[in-house]
Amino acid sequence: RATMKSLQFISAEAFVSNAEFARKSLSSVVHNLFPLLFKASYLLEQGEVIHDLVENWPLVDFNLGKLLGATVDYQEDLSHRTCSVCLESCLTGLRDYVLNHPSPYVKRLKVVDLTGIKDVEVQFCECKKTMGRWARTQLLSKLCLELLVYLQQTQCNTGTSEISIDVLIDLFVTERNYELVAQALLKKCDCPLKICCVAFRFDNLALQKFFYIIKLTDPSLLRKLEIVHNVRLEMEHLEMLFNSVHFPLLMSLTLPARTFNVRRFTATDERMLTNIGEKMGEMLQLTELSMPFSILTGRIRKLLSPLKTPLKMLDVSNCSLNHADIAYLANSFHANHLEALDLSGHNIPDLYPSVFFKLLSNSSSALRSLTLEDCNIQDTHVNMLILGLSPCQKLQEFKFLGNPLSSQALKHLFTFLSELPMLKNVEFPVPRDCYPVGTTYPIDDANLCRFDQQKYERVTADLNLILLQANKEDVKASTPLFGSYDPAVQETNNELGAYLIKSFKETLEKVTISLNKMT
C-alpha cells in the first residue's frame, strides 16, 4: 500500500534525484531541510548525496532512527532498511565531516545515534545488499582507526583536533573482527569520533578476549548485553564479571546456553548463585533476562528475588524448571509486568498446569509475546490452553512450534486465536498427522522435514482462511522449522559454522586420544 508523501517530500525527492546538481547546491540549502533531504536520499538510495549531507551536517545531533522513522512529510518508517550503499555513505560521510576543513557550516555536531536501525529478514531496498550489525561494527571501527592514522600523519589543525562526537552504536563482536574493534575502543580517547557502546553482542569469542573488550567499553553506558553463541561463560565466570564490572544502566541481559549447568549444587555453587542474584539486584534498570538451556531446577527464587525492578521479558526455555519455580514466578511481582515470556522445553500440561495458568492470568494485563515450543501440548490439552490464554487480550505473538498437535486441534486453536484483538504473529507446528505414523516428539533435525508437504499446505490454507474470515488477514502465521530469524546468526553463519566444525573436530580428537589410552 502506497504511503502518502507531502509536496515538500516530493520536492526533496526531485532535488536529490539529480545527484550532481544536489551535491553542488547543498551550500544553498537551509539547515532545517537537511533531515528531509536525508530521508529522501535514503529512500532513493542516493549514496553520494547521503555522504555529502552527512559530511556537511549542520545540526547538533544526527539520530538515524528518528531521521528514517515516520515523519509528517512521509509516514513510512525506513529504519528497517539496512541498505549497504546508504549506511556506508553515512559512515564515510561522518569520517569526512571530521576531515572537511573548508565546510561552509560551523561544526556543531555532538551526538550521532546509530542505534535506531532494525535488522530484518526481508529487505526492500533496490540494491538488496544489507549492512548488518557486525558489518556496521567493523566499518565504524575501521574508519575510526583510519581517521587516527590520517590525523597523526598530517599533524591536523586545531579545529579538527577539537572535534568530539559521541557515536552511539550497538556493537557485535566475534573472533573475526575482535582485533579491529579492540584497537578502536582502546584508542577512542584520541579519536574525534568516540564510540559509545549502548548494546553489545558477543558470539564465537574466547573468554579472555571477552573480559578484555568488555572493560574497554564504558560499562556505565551499556543498556543491553548479549553473550550468545560459543562463548564458554559458566557460573563462576559470570560471578567474576559481576564482581569486577558494574552495569548501572543495564536493562537487558542474555546469557549463553548452559551458564548455570550444575546438576548437583554444592555449597560453593549456592554461594555463587546467591552472589549473582544480589549483583543483578543492584542493576536497577534490569527488565529483560534471557538464560536458556541452563539447569535452574528449584533456584529461580534465589536468582530473581533480589531484583528490585520487575522483569518485562524472561526467557527460561529448557531450564528444567519445577513446580516451585513456576509457582514463584506466578506469585512474584514480576508476573504483573511480564510482556514476553519463553517457557519452551517444559512439559507444562503434565507437570504444573494449574500454576502455569495462574502465571498466565497474573501476567495477562501486560503479556504481549508467549513462546511455548516443545512443551508436549497435545490435542487433549487444547481446551485447557484456550482457557489459560483467554485473559491474555494484549497478546501480539504466540509461538508453539514442536508440539504434537493434529490439524484438527490447530484449527480449533486458530479459531480462538483469531478472536484475540491485538494478535500479529503466530508460529505453529507442522500438524502431527502430516508426519509418518510412529514419529516421536521432540522430532530430531534429521526427521523434521520429512512430512507430507501437500497436506501441510492444505492445512495452512485452512488456518489462513480462519484468520481471513475473522478479518485477521494481517496476522502472519508461519512454521519456521529451524527457529525464528536471527539477523546476527544470518550475518555470521559462515564463522559460526567454521567454529562448530572446529569444536566437533577437537572433541573427536579428544575421544580418539582417550580410546588410544584405553587400548
mmCIF file of all heavy atoms in Angstrom, residues 7-30 33-34 36-38 40-41 44 46 49 53:
data_model
loop_
_atom_site.group_PDB
_atom_site.id
_atom_site.type_symbol
_atom_site.label_atom_id
_atom_site.label_comp_id
_atom_site.label_asym_id
_atom_site.label_seq_id
_atom_site.Cartn_x
_atom_site.Cartn_y
_atom_site.Cartn_z
ATOM 1 N N LEU A 7 3.939 17.460 -0.440
ATOM 2 C CA LEU A 7 4.544 18.150 -1.588
ATOM 3 C C LEU A 7 6.000 18.481 -1.307
ATOM 4 O O LEU A 7 6.849 18.449 -2.197
ATOM 5 C CB LEU A 7 3.762 19.439 -1.899
ATOM 6 C CG LEU A 7 2.394 19.244 -2.565
ATOM 7 C CD1 LEU A 7 1.669 20.569 -2.688
ATOM 8 C CD2 LEU A 7 2.558 18.605 -3.950
ATOM 9 N N GLN A 8 6.289 18.772 -0.031
ATOM 10 C CA GLN A 8 7.664 19.096 0.362
ATOM 11 C C GLN A 8 8.579 17.889 0.174
ATOM 12 O O GLN A 8 9.707 18.015 -0.312
ATOM 13 C CB GLN A 8 7.694 19.574 1.823
ATOM 14 C CG GLN A 8 9.029 20.158 2.224
ATOM 15 C CD GLN A 8 8.975 20.921 3.535
ATOM 16 O OE1 GLN A 8 9.181 22.122 3.576
ATOM 17 N NE2 GLN A 8 8.684 20.213 4.620
ATOM 18 N N PHE A 9 8.071 16.696 0.532
ATOM 19 C CA PHE A 9 8.886 15.479 0.384
ATOM 20 C C PHE A 9 9.087 15.150 -1.102
ATOM 21 O O PHE A 9 10.172 14.751 -1.517
ATOM 22 C CB PHE A 9 8.238 14.289 1.106
ATOM 23 C CG PHE A 9 9.159 13.102 1.229
ATOM 24 C CD1 PHE A 9 10.062 13.016 2.272
ATOM 25 C CD2 PHE A 9 9.147 12.084 0.288
ATOM 26 C CE1 PHE A 9 10.938 11.938 2.382
ATOM 27 C CE2 PHE A 9 10.011 11.002 0.379
ATOM 28 C CZ PHE A 9 10.914 10.927 1.438
ATOM 29 N N ILE A 10 8.021 15.327 -1.889
ATOM 30 C CA ILE A 10 8.121 15.084 -3.338
ATOM 31 C C ILE A 10 9.166 16.019 -3.957
ATOM 32 O O ILE A 10 9.976 15.625 -4.803
ATOM 33 C CB ILE A 10 6.740 15.266 -4.019
ATOM 34 C CG1 ILE A 10 5.788 14.153 -3.546
ATOM 35 C CG2 ILE A 10 6.867 15.234 -5.540
ATOM 36 C CD1 ILE A 10 4.331 14.395 -3.906
ATOM 37 N N SER A 11 9.178 17.262 -3.484
ATOM 38 C CA SER A 11 10.168 18.235 -3.964
ATOM 39 C C SER A 11 11.581 17.812 -3.557
ATOM 40 O O SER A 11 12.532 17.946 -4.342
ATOM 41 C CB SER A 11 9.868 19.626 -3.390
ATOM 42 O OG SER A 11 8.577 20.037 -3.751
ATOM 43 N N ALA A 12 11.700 17.291 -2.324
ATOM 44 C CA ALA A 12 13.011 16.821 -1.845
ATOM 45 C C ALA A 12 13.509 15.653 -2.689
ATOM 46 O O ALA A 12 14.696 15.587 -3.044
ATOM 47 C CB ALA A 12 12.906 16.408 -0.370
ATOM 48 N N GLU A 13 12.598 14.738 -3.041
ATOM 49 C CA GLU A 13 12.967 13.615 -3.912
ATOM 50 C C GLU A 13 13.467 14.106 -5.266
ATOM 51 O O GLU A 13 14.469 13.612 -5.794
ATOM 52 C CB GLU A 13 11.759 12.692 -4.121
ATOM 53 C CG GLU A 13 11.485 11.742 -2.972
ATOM 54 C CD GLU A 13 10.379 10.752 -3.323
ATOM 55 O OE1 GLU A 13 9.215 11.186 -3.432
ATOM 56 O OE2 GLU A 13 10.689 9.561 -3.492
ATOM 57 N N ALA A 14 12.751 15.077 -5.822
ATOM 58 C CA ALA A 14 13.139 15.626 -7.130
ATOM 59 C C ALA A 14 14.519 16.284 -7.046
ATOM 60 O O ALA A 14 15.357 16.128 -7.949
ATOM 61 C CB ALA A 14 12.095 16.647 -7.591
ATOM 62 N N PHE A 15 14.775 16.976 -5.928
ATOM 63 C CA PHE A 15 16.060 17.663 -5.723
ATOM 64 C C PHE A 15 17.223 16.669 -5.665
ATOM 65 O O PHE A 15 18.244 16.844 -6.344
ATOM 66 C CB PHE A 15 15.984 18.499 -4.442
ATOM 67 C CG PHE A 15 17.257 19.224 -4.107
ATOM 68 C CD1 PHE A 15 17.581 20.408 -4.744
ATOM 69 C CD2 PHE A 15 18.129 18.725 -3.142
ATOM 70 C CE1 PHE A 15 18.759 21.092 -4.433
ATOM 71 C CE2 PHE A 15 19.311 19.385 -2.838
ATOM 72 C CZ PHE A 15 19.621 20.581 -3.476
ATOM 73 N N VAL A 16 17.070 15.597 -4.853
ATOM 74 C CA VAL A 16 18.202 14.667 -4.654
ATOM 75 C C VAL A 16 18.329 13.643 -5.778
ATOM 76 O O VAL A 16 19.355 12.969 -5.887
ATOM 77 C CB VAL A 16 18.094 13.927 -3.300
ATOM 78 C CG1 VAL A 16 18.043 14.920 -2.150
ATOM 79 C CG2 VAL A 16 16.887 12.981 -3.243
ATOM 80 N N SER A 17 17.290 13.516 -6.624
ATOM 81 C CA SER A 17 17.355 12.514 -7.694
ATOM 82 C C SER A 17 18.428 12.860 -8.728
ATOM 83 O O SER A 17 18.960 11.990 -9.406
ATOM 84 C CB SER A 17 15.997 12.359 -8.382
ATOM 85 O OG SER A 17 15.602 13.591 -8.952
ATOM 86 N N ASN A 18 18.751 14.141 -8.843
ATOM 87 C CA ASN A 18 19.875 14.565 -9.675
ATOM 88 C C ASN A 18 21.062 14.779 -8.747
ATOM 89 O O ASN A 18 21.257 15.863 -8.189
ATOM 90 C CB ASN A 18 19.529 15.858 -10.423
ATOM 91 C CG ASN A 18 20.623 16.289 -11.379
ATOM 92 O OD1 ASN A 18 21.790 15.945 -11.212
ATOM 93 N ND2 ASN A 18 20.244 17.053 -12.393
ATOM 94 N N ALA A 19 21.839 13.707 -8.542
ATOM 95 C CA ALA A 19 22.904 13.720 -7.533
ATOM 96 C C ALA A 19 23.910 14.842 -7.757
ATOM 97 O O ALA A 19 24.295 15.543 -6.819
ATOM 98 C CB ALA A 19 23.606 12.364 -7.503
ATOM 99 N N GLU A 20 24.332 15.026 -8.988
ATOM 100 C CA GLU A 20 25.360 16.031 -9.283
ATOM 101 C C GLU A 20 24.866 17.436 -8.924
ATOM 102 O O GLU A 20 25.560 18.216 -8.270
ATOM 103 C CB GLU A 20 25.733 15.958 -10.769
ATOM 104 C CG GLU A 20 26.927 16.818 -11.123
ATOM 105 C CD GLU A 20 27.286 16.746 -12.604
ATOM 106 O OE1 GLU A 20 26.693 15.915 -13.327
ATOM 107 O OE2 GLU A 20 28.144 17.537 -13.033
ATOM 108 N N PHE A 21 23.624 17.749 -9.324
ATOM 109 C CA PHE A 21 23.041 19.055 -9.024
ATOM 110 C C PHE A 21 22.869 19.243 -7.512
ATOM 111 O O PHE A 21 23.186 20.304 -6.963
ATOM 112 C CB PHE A 21 21.683 19.185 -9.731
ATOM 113 C CG PHE A 21 20.902 20.405 -9.328
ATOM 114 C CD1 PHE A 21 21.256 21.660 -9.799
ATOM 115 C CD2 PHE A 21 19.815 20.296 -8.459
ATOM 116 C CE1 PHE A 21 20.545 22.800 -9.413
ATOM 117 C CE2 PHE A 21 19.101 21.430 -8.075
ATOM 118 C CZ PHE A 21 19.470 22.688 -8.556
ATOM 119 N N ALA A 22 22.354 18.195 -6.849
ATOM 120 C CA ALA A 22 22.104 18.279 -5.403
ATOM 121 C C ALA A 22 23.393 18.530 -4.629
ATOM 122 O O ALA A 22 23.433 19.369 -3.721
ATOM 123 C CB ALA A 22 21.440 16.990 -4.916
ATOM 124 N N ARG A 23 24.452 17.844 -4.998
ATOM 125 C CA ARG A 23 25.727 17.973 -4.281
ATOM 126 C C ARG A 23 26.313 19.377 -4.439
ATOM 127 O O ARG A 23 26.880 19.942 -3.503
ATOM 128 C CB ARG A 23 26.716 16.919 -4.773
ATOM 129 C CG ARG A 23 26.245 15.493 -4.446
ATOM 130 C CD ARG A 23 27.146 14.462 -5.089
ATOM 131 N NE ARG A 23 28.398 14.313 -4.355
ATOM 132 C CZ ARG A 23 29.440 13.627 -4.805
ATOM 133 N NH1 ARG A 23 29.386 13.042 -5.986
ATOM 134 N NH2 ARG A 23 30.543 13.526 -4.078
ATOM 135 N N LYS A 24 26.147 19.944 -5.640
ATOM 136 C CA LYS A 24 26.672 21.295 -5.894
ATOM 137 C C LYS A 24 25.852 22.358 -5.164
ATOM 138 O O LYS A 24 26.363 23.428 -4.821
ATOM 139 C CB LYS A 24 26.631 21.593 -7.395
ATOM 140 C CG LYS A 24 27.738 20.914 -8.192
ATOM 141 C CD LYS A 24 27.583 21.243 -9.674
ATOM 142 C CE LYS A 24 28.644 20.525 -10.513
ATOM 143 N NZ LYS A 24 28.400 20.721 -11.968
ATOM 144 N N SER A 25 24.570 22.038 -4.919
ATOM 145 C CA SER A 25 23.646 23.048 -4.370
ATOM 146 C C SER A 25 23.516 23.011 -2.851
ATOM 147 O O SER A 25 22.803 23.842 -2.274
ATOM 148 C CB SER A 25 22.255 22.851 -4.990
ATOM 149 O OG SER A 25 22.331 22.799 -6.400
ATOM 150 N N LEU A 26 24.169 22.049 -2.181
ATOM 151 C CA LEU A 26 23.966 21.882 -0.736
ATOM 152 C C LEU A 26 24.304 23.128 0.063
ATOM 153 O O LEU A 26 23.678 23.406 1.096
ATOM 154 C CB LEU A 26 24.797 20.697 -0.206
ATOM 155 C CG LEU A 26 24.187 19.309 -0.350
ATOM 156 C CD1 LEU A 26 25.066 18.268 0.320
ATOM 157 C CD2 LEU A 26 22.782 19.257 0.242
ATOM 158 N N SER A 27 25.282 23.885 -0.386
ATOM 159 C CA SER A 27 25.698 25.077 0.372
ATOM 160 C C SER A 27 24.590 26.134 0.418
ATOM 161 O O SER A 27 24.610 27.029 1.266
ATOM 162 C CB SER A 27 26.963 25.674 -0.239
ATOM 163 O OG SER A 27 26.731 25.995 -1.610
ATOM 164 N N SER A 28 23.612 26.015 -0.487
ATOM 165 C CA SER A 28 22.497 26.983 -0.516
ATOM 166 C C SER A 28 21.269 26.499 0.251
ATOM 167 O O SER A 28 20.266 27.220 0.336
ATOM 168 C CB SER A 28 22.087 27.251 -1.977
ATOM 169 O OG SER A 28 23.200 27.582 -2.765
ATOM 170 N N VAL A 29 21.324 25.284 0.780
ATOM 171 C CA VAL A 29 20.156 24.687 1.452
ATOM 172 C C VAL A 29 20.094 25.133 2.908
ATOM 173 O O VAL A 29 21.097 25.080 3.631
ATOM 174 C CB VAL A 29 20.219 23.139 1.371
ATOM 175 C CG1 VAL A 29 19.096 22.495 2.184
ATOM 176 C CG2 VAL A 29 20.153 22.684 -0.077
ATOM 177 N N VAL A 30 18.920 25.554 3.352
ATOM 178 C CA VAL A 30 18.764 25.954 4.767
ATOM 179 C C VAL A 30 18.895 24.718 5.661
ATOM 180 O O VAL A 30 18.530 23.608 5.269
ATOM 181 C CB VAL A 30 17.411 26.653 5.021
ATOM 182 C CG1 VAL A 30 17.367 27.998 4.327
ATOM 183 C CG2 VAL A 30 16.244 25.781 4.603
ATOM 184 N N LEU A 33 16.264 21.828 6.417
ATOM 185 C CA LEU A 33 15.839 20.917 5.358
ATOM 186 C C LEU A 33 16.744 19.696 5.225
ATOM 187 O O LEU A 33 16.424 18.766 4.485
ATOM 188 C CB LEU A 33 15.791 21.664 4.010
ATOM 189 C CG LEU A 33 14.619 22.626 3.808
ATOM 190 C CD1 LEU A 33 14.714 23.301 2.447
ATOM 191 C CD2 LEU A 33 13.281 21.912 3.941
ATOM 192 N N PHE A 34 17.868 19.696 5.935
ATOM 193 C CA PHE A 34 18.793 18.565 5.833
ATOM 194 C C PHE A 34 18.131 17.228 6.210
ATOM 195 O O PHE A 34 18.302 16.231 5.504
ATOM 196 C CB PHE A 34 20.045 18.826 6.681
ATOM 197 C CG PHE A 34 21.160 19.475 5.898
ATOM 198 C CD1 PHE A 34 21.021 20.748 5.381
ATOM 199 C CD2 PHE A 34 22.355 18.800 5.676
ATOM 200 C CE1 PHE A 34 22.035 21.354 4.653
ATOM 201 C CE2 PHE A 34 23.378 19.391 4.949
ATOM 202 C CZ PHE A 34 23.225 20.665 4.437
ATOM 203 N N LEU A 36 15.009 16.302 5.964
ATOM 204 C CA LEU A 36 14.079 15.948 4.887
ATOM 205 C C LEU A 36 14.840 15.402 3.676
ATOM 206 O O LEU A 36 14.479 14.359 3.110
ATOM 207 C CB LEU A 36 13.268 17.186 4.487
ATOM 208 C CG LEU A 36 12.224 16.986 3.377
ATOM 209 C CD1 LEU A 36 11.023 16.235 3.919
ATOM 210 C CD2 LEU A 36 11.796 18.342 2.814
ATOM 211 N N LEU A 37 15.913 16.084 3.297
ATOM 212 C CA LEU A 37 16.716 15.654 2.148
ATOM 213 C C LEU A 37 17.405 14.319 2.434
ATOM 214 O O LEU A 37 17.573 13.491 1.538
ATOM 215 C CB LEU A 37 17.765 16.715 1.807
ATOM 216 C CG LEU A 37 17.221 18.050 1.278
ATOM 217 C CD1 LEU A 37 18.345 19.057 1.084
ATOM 218 C CD2 LEU A 37 16.465 17.841 -0.036
ATOM 219 N N PHE A 38 17.779 14.110 3.700
ATOM 220 C CA PHE A 38 18.442 12.852 4.062
ATOM 221 C C PHE A 38 17.490 11.667 3.870
ATOM 222 O O PHE A 38 17.853 10.657 3.270
ATOM 223 C CB PHE A 38 18.932 12.896 5.512
ATOM 224 C CG PHE A 38 19.619 11.627 5.931
ATOM 225 C CD1 PHE A 38 20.946 11.398 5.645
ATOM 226 C CD2 PHE A 38 18.915 10.622 6.605
ATOM 227 C CE1 PHE A 38 21.573 10.213 6.000
ATOM 228 C CE2 PHE A 38 19.521 9.433 6.966
ATOM 229 C CZ PHE A 38 20.857 9.232 6.665
ATOM 230 N N ALA A 40 14.793 11.518 1.988
ATOM 231 C CA ALA A 40 14.509 11.360 0.558
ATOM 232 C C ALA A 40 15.671 10.656 -0.148
ATOM 233 O O ALA A 40 15.465 9.772 -0.990
ATOM 234 C CB ALA A 40 14.248 12.722 -0.070
ATOM 235 N N SER A 41 16.900 11.019 0.216
ATOM 236 C CA SER A 41 18.090 10.391 -0.386
ATOM 237 C C SER A 41 18.179 8.922 -0.005
ATOM 238 O O SER A 41 18.559 8.074 -0.825
ATOM 239 C CB SER A 41 19.364 11.114 0.080
ATOM 240 O OG SER A 41 19.317 12.471 -0.262
ATOM 241 N N LEU A 44 15.691 6.863 -2.000
ATOM 242 C CA LEU A 44 16.114 6.690 -3.397
ATOM 243 C C LEU A 44 17.509 6.078 -3.523
ATOM 244 O O LEU A 44 18.024 5.927 -4.624
ATOM 245 C CB LEU A 44 16.081 8.056 -4.114
ATOM 246 C CG LEU A 44 14.717 8.750 -4.188
ATOM 247 C CD1 LEU A 44 14.845 10.094 -4.898
ATOM 248 C CD2 LEU A 44 13.689 7.868 -4.895
ATOM 249 N N GLN A 46 20.455 7.284 -2.849
ATOM 250 C CA GLN A 46 21.411 8.209 -3.466
ATOM 251 C C GLN A 46 22.629 8.330 -2.549
ATOM 252 O O GLN A 46 22.766 9.274 -1.765
ATOM 253 C CB GLN A 46 20.756 9.577 -3.694
ATOM 254 C CG GLN A 46 19.674 9.579 -4.748
ATOM 255 C CD GLN A 46 20.263 9.549 -6.158
ATOM 256 O OE1 GLN A 46 21.298 8.934 -6.416
ATOM 257 N NE2 GLN A 46 19.616 10.196 -7.087
ATOM 258 N N VAL A 49 24.789 11.619 -2.399
ATOM 259 C CA VAL A 49 24.088 12.735 -1.748
ATOM 260 C C VAL A 49 24.066 12.516 -0.234
ATOM 261 O O VAL A 49 24.289 13.452 0.545
ATOM 262 C CB VAL A 49 22.648 12.894 -2.298
ATOM 263 C CG1 VAL A 49 21.960 14.095 -1.655
ATOM 264 C CG2 VAL A 49 22.669 13.053 -3.815
ATOM 265 N N LEU A 53 25.531 15.071 2.525
ATOM 266 C CA LEU A 53 24.661 15.615 3.571
ATOM 267 C C LEU A 53 25.277 15.409 4.954
ATOM 268 O O LEU A 53 25.298 16.325 5.784
ATOM 269 C CB LEU A 53 23.286 14.946 3.516
ATOM 270 C CG LEU A 53 22.324 15.406 2.411
ATOM 271 C CD1 LEU A 53 21.174 14.416 2.257
ATOM 272 C CD2 LEU A 53 21.780 16.804 2.709
#
